[in-house]
Amino acid sequence: MTGKKSTAKLHHYVPQGYLRGFATSQERIRVVPLDCSRPPYTPRVKNVAAQNHFHTVGEFEEPDAFEKVLSEVEGQALSIIRGFANGEFPPSEENRWAFAHYTALQSVRGPDTRRTIEHLRATVVRLEVGVGGRKNVGTWIQNNLGFDPTSEQEDRIWDEATQPGGPPIGFSNLAHIQNTVETAIELTPYLATRPWTLVRFDRRSLITSDAPVSLVRRPDDEPWEGVGFATAWGVTFPLTRKLGLLMSDPMAMLEGVGAGDPRVQQFREMVLAGRIDRIQSGTTAMEKFFNTHTAESAREYVFHHPEDERYVPVNLPEPDLLNIKPMGGLVDMDFDGEPLFASD
């Protein structure tokens, strides 16, 4: 009798193997909720940064197929991290691209990305429906949902769409997976072509979080300005409690050089070959630099080895699953049913 294939239920959005680098030999890790009303606790790694069926796709022959793909990517990345710890740095160009892809994947695979996309879509629908006014809801439904609504359906959609926060819009597991894969592919070159610094800590330690890849603003950026992978001064990634990776600004070495200058391509080739990379001893200042950015990028939880509590920044941010927020007066305005613009 052939047994039925088992399907993984608990899906991690931060890999267990990665978290073990911050855990005890018994695989216990300290969890600090950003919600200050909740006390820290020390669970096993397998119960951290995970949700039931986060990647399950019923349309697939194997509903947890993406989990198995992730397992292969994570396994290769953990092997590269072990290599870093053993002195295999800079990495080969093949490993550089592989680890850059893993880093990009980690930055967009969490529930914060899913919640952000849901929020942005709900905001767009709220503005489209609200600006058009109550009398144009029927036309909006026909154009966007493809059916002729009854008056009751128009009323319901108007009420749902114009409520604070917009309508309840979900982002399916399949759509989340597709977005994760496509976005990671787009972001990978921005990481692979940065100079890498491997920082080794002896007496001090690093923490991590549920969103461990952090973007570092340029010193002259205004606080309200956004920061992205293409514009960030640097990218920090705590690899273990004793090992951190800083991906720094490639343009700092090319100041005043035009994009068409052949030196740009020469520099890119040097970066990919690891000739600009370096290893640095971890200082107190570097520990604080890494841990401050890790804490600021956390969405709901900070994680650390139970012996490393003193390295957690004192002022942690409030929990927030939105990593991008729309700006402008239209987002928060109330709609009274009247169109915002004249139809003629």
Side-chain angles (χ1 to χ4, degrees):
M1 183 176 178
T2 303
K4 186 178 180 180
K5 290 183 179 180
S6 61
T7 300
K9 177 182 178 182
L10 190 62
H11 298 167
H12 290 78
Y13 50 87
V14 181
Q16 293 186 72
Y18 166 78
L19 290 172
R20 291 188 184 104
F22 301 84
T24 66
S25 57
Q26 292 78 36
E27 298 195 1
R28 294 283 180 178
I29 191 168
R30 191 69 167 166
V31 177
V32 183
L34 299 186
D35 180 351
C36 59
S37 67
R38 299 175 58 194
Y41 55 103
T42 313
R44 295 181 66 84
V45 163
K46 68 178 181 180
N47 296 319
V48 171
Q51 291 184 12
N52 284 335
H53 298 296
F54 190 63
H55 297 127
T56 299
V57 180
E59 299 96 308
F60 290 172
E61 183 176 344
E62 291 186 69
D64 61 343
F66 187 62
E67 272 291 292
K68 295 175 180 177
V69 171
L70 283 176
S71 180
E72 294 179 7
V73 174
E74 293 163 4
Q76 182 180 16
L78 293 174
S79 176
I80 294 172
I81 292 176
R82 286 192 294 270
F84 289 173
N86 293 328
E88 298 172 16
F89 190 87
S92 66
E93 186 170 338
E94 179 183 355
N95 281 351
R96 187 185 203 86
W97 281 105
F99 198 77
H101 181 256
Y102 165 75
T103 304
L105 193 66
Q106 182 58 62
S107 71
V108 295
R109 64 186 283 190
D112 57 316
T113 298
R114 183 178 297 194
R115 179 68 188 97
T116 298
I117 292 175
E118 290 173 343
H119 176 72
L120 293 176
R121 289 183 173 182
T123 299
V124 169
V125 170
R126 183 174 188 269
L127 292 176
E128 286 181 349
V129 174
V131 166
R134 172 63 184 83
K135 70 178 183 179
N136 293 310
V137 170
T139 301
W140 184 90
I141 294 172
Q142 291 169 354
N143 293 338
N144 291 272
L145 303 181
F147 68 90
D148 294 321
T150 64
S151 178
E152 290 77 11
Q153 289 171 324
E154 289 184 8
D155 287 339
R156 179 174 59 81
I157 289 180
W158 170 262
D159 291 340
E160 287 186 353
T162 57
Q163 66 182 332
I169 292 180
F171 196 49
S172 72
N173 287 2
L174 179 57
H176 174 66
I177 290 170
Q178 291 171 332
N179 178 77
T180 297
V181 172
E182 292 169 2
T183 306
I185 291 172
E186 292 175 2
L187 295 179
T188 297
Y190 292 107
L191 299 172
T193 55
R194 287 175 174 269
W196 291 7
T197 300
L198 186 68
V199 186
R200 295 180 175 277
F201 293 88
D202 181 17
R203 287 178 291 182
R204 307 189 74 82
S205 297
L206 298 180
I207 64 173
T208 190
S209 79
D210 52 358
V213 179
S214 306
L215 301 182
V216 182
R217 294 176 177 274
R218 297 182 186 279
D220 55 352
D221 283 353
E222 296 293 337
W224 52 265
E225 289 185 282
V227 59
F229 281 83
T231 61
W233 174 87
V235 180
T236 62
F237 192 0
L239 305 181
T240 70
R241 62 192 289 245
K242 297 297 182 181
L243 207 63
L245 185 65
L246 171 62
M247 303 173 175
S248 57
D249 182 8
M251 299 311 296
M253 300 183 185
L254 292 171
E255 189 171 354
V257 177
D261 192 300
R263 285 176 291 178
V264 173
Q265 180 59 30
Q266 292 172 3
F267 181 75
R268 185 178 188 274
E269 292 172 356
M270 290 174 65
V271 170
L272 290 175
R275 291 164 60 188
I276 313 295
D277 295 349
R278 63 194 181 101
I279 299 175
Q280 178 179 326
S281 296
T283 61
T284 298
M286 188 60 78
E287 170 262 307
K288 293 184 181 299
F289 175 79
F290 265 86
N291 288 340
T292 296
H293 283 94
T294 297
E296 289 176 350
S297 296
R299 311 316 308 180
E300 293 183 288
Y301 303 100
V302 162
F303 310 127
H304 65 85
H305 189 283
E307 296 178 359
D308 294 340
E309 182 178 0
R310 64 187 180 278
Y311 301 118
V312 179
V314 175
N315 297 316
L316 294 177
E318 294 292 322
D320 191 353
L321 278 176
L322 298 181
N323 50 46
I324 300 175
K325 296 181 180 178
M327 298 181 65
L330 284 175
V331 174
D332 298 320
M333 73 179 296
D334 293 326
F335 298 106
D336 58 8
E338 291 298 317
L340 199 60
F341 305 105
S343 58
D344 58 358

